[in-house]
Amino acid sequence: MKMKHKNPKTFEIPDNPDFCPVMTYKEFQNRRPPQLSKMTPLFYMKINHNKKKDSEYWLKDQPLSEHKLFKIMKNMAETADFPGKKTNMSARKATCTRFLHALVTPITIMQLSDHKNIHSVNNYAVASHEMQNKV
């Protein structure tokens, strides 16, 4: 089965520039060094902690490591005071499980989560507490 690629959409919030994703992105884009202006993925670059005070660039010409991304996820989960151990994959698992509980089809979940195999999505099919109580 051929998967359709979805292009997510983001809309400007002109009334509230502090929470506008378009303005935030434009500011982020302007803070990248010129050699990174066409680089993708855009958001996985190292922060330049040694930048000079008058430098307008926030990022280094170097990607974030997988370890650093895991650390960011762990830090966010701890800050939010989520119970239990949280990883990048636990966020994916929780999202897929909630989709299944909301009766979203596994094919649709595959398209959204970029799973390559429907059996991987079915591994998340665990009955919710509500479903268990009804049974």
Side-chain angles (χ1 to χ4, degrees):
M1 168 181 278
K2 186 173 177 163
M3 302 286 289
K4 285 185 181 180
H5 179 71
K6 301 283 185 185
N7 289 322
K9 294 181 175 96
T10 302
F11 299 95
E12 191 171 8
I13 308 171
D15 302 353
N16 196 347
D18 290 342
F19 292 97
C20 176
V22 175
M23 295 298 293
T24 301
Y25 174 77
K26 286 179 179 177
E27 181 68 23
F28 172 79
Q29 190 175 30
N30 290 333
R31 298 300 182 156
R32 293 183 297 169
Q35 69 269 24
L36 302 179
S37 63
K38 301 293 182 208
M39 183 180 169
T40 57
L42 303 174
F43 295 101
Y44 300 114
M45 294 177 274
K46 280 192 175 176
I47 295 171
N48 185 2
H49 293 286
N50 298 324
K51 73 179 181 77
K52 296 177 181 149
K53 285 187 179 188
D54 60 341
S55 175
E56 60 188 273
Y57 304 122
W58 294 345
L59 304 167
K60 289 183 180 182
D61 187 3
Q62 193 174 11
L64 277 174
S65 67
E66 189 174 330
H67 176 73
K68 182 65 176 177
L69 288 171
F70 287 144
K71 236 173 130 177
I72 290 170
M73 178 66 180
K74 180 181 177 188
N75 203 359
M76 287 174 18
E78 286 173 357
T79 301
D81 202 22
F82 290 146
K85 181 181 175 185
K86 300 297 178 220
T87 66
N88 296 346
M89 292 311 291
S90 61
R92 185 181 196 197
K93 178 181 178 182
T95 302
C96 292
T97 302
R98 287 193 178 159
F99 279 148
L100 287 167
H101 291 171
L103 304 179
V104 175
T105 65
I107 297 294
T108 303
I109 295 169
M110 280 178 61
Q111 292 171 350
L112 296 170
S113 65
D114 206 28
H115 278 91
K116 305 295 182 232
N117 186 327
I118 198 159
H119 299 293
S120 300
V121 174
N122 288 337
N123 288 334
Y124 301 130
V126 177
S128 68
H129 293 295
E130 278 183 29
M131 292 174 173
Q132 291 176 29
N133 286 337
K134 283 181 183 178
V135 171

